[in-house]
Amino acid sequence: MDFEFRFDIVWNNFPLLLEGIETTIVLSLLTMVLGTIIGLFVAIIRLRVRRIFAVPLIIYVEVFRGTPGLIQIVWIYYCLPIVTGLQLDALTSLVIAMALNVGAYLSEVFRAGIQAVDKGHIEAATALGYRPAQITRRVVVPQAAYRMIPAIGNVFVSAIKLSSLCSVLGMAELMYQGQIIIANFFRPIEVFTVVAMIYLLMAYTTSLFMMYLEWKLAWIKREDMTLWQRFKHISHASFSLKPQGDV
Amino acid sequence: MNQAAIEIKGLHKSFGSLDVLKGIDLTVKTGEVICLIGSSGSGKSTLLRCINQLTVQEKGTILVNGENIGPANDENSRDKKLSNAEIARQRSRVGFVFQQFNLWPHRTVLGNVMDALLVVKKMDRAQAKEIAIARLEEVGLADWSEEYPSTLSGGQQQRVAIARMLAMEPDVMLFDEPTSALDPERVAEVIDVMKLLAKKGHTMIIATHEMNFARDTADRVIFIDEGVIVEEAPAREFFTAPKTDRLKSFLNRLSV
């Protein structure tokens, strides 16, 4: 093995990657916000209307979950202007494509979260004289929001990685910038390694933020439990699924 | 004491092809305590749920303190469809205690009891808290007001649920098998609370399998079987001298 790692090439061109990071963050954040709005809208409509009227929404969700993200992005980038006659700039059409993808996944997260609220809790409020909107606000949303956080985190982390596909269409985000460096210096291993670590960092930051939200929204907060202790608690919980003691 | 708190005439309800209520007529006087007994699936719960419109009947009228509840479809009905706000207002006058307590897990005991005062009665926080604490004292749980329901035993949770209903000062109180989900040693604490409420002169209808409670507390006991009222009598008479064979065999099965 006389291969020599040349990470200095990556460090020397780091300003290029920084520009890419900025674009990736903008793409991802816009996608998350718009995707959340679409997801909420679709989930609520699906729960409110008769099944027949929900069919177009079901088709939307299944199409965007069941086809490759790359094709969705390419298709909307090239075909949306042809079909609708709208001339959109690259950023807008890419965000729309990704938000539609993310919204499809999120709508299922929201729908499941809302439906998981115990019917009895809703009946209790009904019996006390709450109106439907008051039940949503006081009973359904506080419980559903807390329970949905981990699943929303999953989708958000996926959205960050999904944005790497925009490189195919020449959007100068992180992956694209990495490929430029590779094209100039022929060092794919080193560049991809660093790019992957940057994605990991962004994904993990998102995870931490979601963990914070989960802690913030939890109704039973032990006052001696700081965020760090909460973090350790969660890490421990993932291991404690194994049977303990005599089984 | 003579005014009718609840007047039910010709109540029918079916779920699909299953007829659950087949013509119930029942009048409950103000301050009267009624126990509904009957085997599972006899229609006890459905009858109670209709009175609070958690289930909507197909036929028949229900009056609570003279006011028509839900859709009226007799000939002299004021047949307008009630708005959500109207139905909600009517429900707030009728208290309901569930078999499964149905406390909200994301609110404290105090939060559970005072929330309806804030949301439905639009009280300010201080006033609502004062009332909620008083009702919790009544069920013996004022010390638990800052706890979350998940840390309470079943009996305590049911007492909180009763306090939550009491806080709304309903005209009538409906209990749907309030002790059926409890461990046997937790039944008594809930029964004691209900006895206390009965003594205070509240109008109550209680679906229950606790025959001793029914005998001791109820003014009248009603036996429902297959969606009809088979027999009704003052409590003593009901258990000592059952008239119909259906009730006799039901009481024999329970060996009371």
Side-chain angles (χ1 to χ4, degrees), chain A residues 71-129:
Chain A
I71 298 176
Q72 294 164 16
I73 288 172
V74 171
W75 197 89
I76 288 178
Y77 186 81
Y78 287 116
C79 294
L80 201 64
I82 300 171
V83 175
T84 63
L86 284 171
Q87 283 303 321
L88 300 170
D89 62 87
L91 183 78
T92 311
S93 66
L94 289 172
V95 166
I96 289 176
M98 290 198 296
L100 284 171
N101 179 290
V102 166
Y105 283 97
L106 281 180
S107 76
E108 287 294 276
V109 170
F110 294 147
R111 191 171 65 92
I114 293 168
Q115 281 180 329
V117 173
D118 191 329
K119 269 220 162 80
H121 299 162
I122 295 169
E123 276 193 342
T126 307
L128 286 163

Side-chain angles (χ1 to χ4, degrees), chain A residues 118-132 134 137-140 142-143 147 219-221, chain B residues 49 52 54 84-85 88 91-92 94 96 98 102-107 115-116 119-120 122 148 150 164 168:
Chain A
D118 191 329
K119 269 220 162 80
H121 299 162
I122 295 169
E123 276 193 342
T126 307
L128 286 163
Y130 287 54
R131 292 194 305 276
Q134 293 170 326
R137 195 156 39 82
R138 306 290 293 189
V139 179
V140 177
Q143 289 192 55
R147 299 208 175 102
W219 40 84
I220 302 183
K221 278 201 223 29
Chain B
R49 292 170 61 86
N52 205 357
L54 290 171
N84 278 341
R91 284 190 178 122
S92 72
V94 180
F96 203 104
F98 298 86
N102 292 338
L103 295 179
W104 302 307
H106 59 293
R107 295 196 191 284
D115 201 60
V119 175
V120 179
K122 313 276 184 221
Y148 281 85
S150 58
R164 176 171 69 175
M168 291 296 286

Side-chain angles (χ1 to χ4, degrees), chain A residues 21-88:
Chain A
I21 291 172
E22 201 184 318
T23 311
T24 292
I25 290 176
V26 170
L27 274 172
S28 304
L29 285 180
L30 287 175
T31 300
M32 289 173 195
V33 171
L34 192 62
T36 303
I37 295 169
I38 294 173
L40 267 179
F41 187 74
V42 171
I44 291 170
I45 304 273
R46 269 189 74 174
L47 290 172
R48 284 277 168 96
V49 299
R50 287 161 189 275
R51 190 161 292 188
I52 296 235
F53 299 113
V55 166
L57 297 176
I58 294 170
I59 293 173
Y60 152 69
V61 170
E62 293 307 331
V63 165
F64 275 85
R65 288 199 308 176
T67 55
L70 179 62
I71 298 176
Q72 294 164 16
I73 288 172
V74 171
W75 197 89
I76 288 178
Y77 186 81
Y78 287 116
C79 294
L80 201 64
I82 300 171
V83 175
T84 63
L86 284 171
Q87 283 303 321
L88 300 170

Side-chain angles (χ1 to χ4, degrees), chain B residues 151-166:
Chain B
T151 62
L152 271 58
S153 72
Q156 289 172 321
Q157 289 191 46
Q158 190 61 292
R159 280 146 68 199
V160 174
I162 292 173
R164 176 171 69 175
M165 171 207 66
L166 284 177

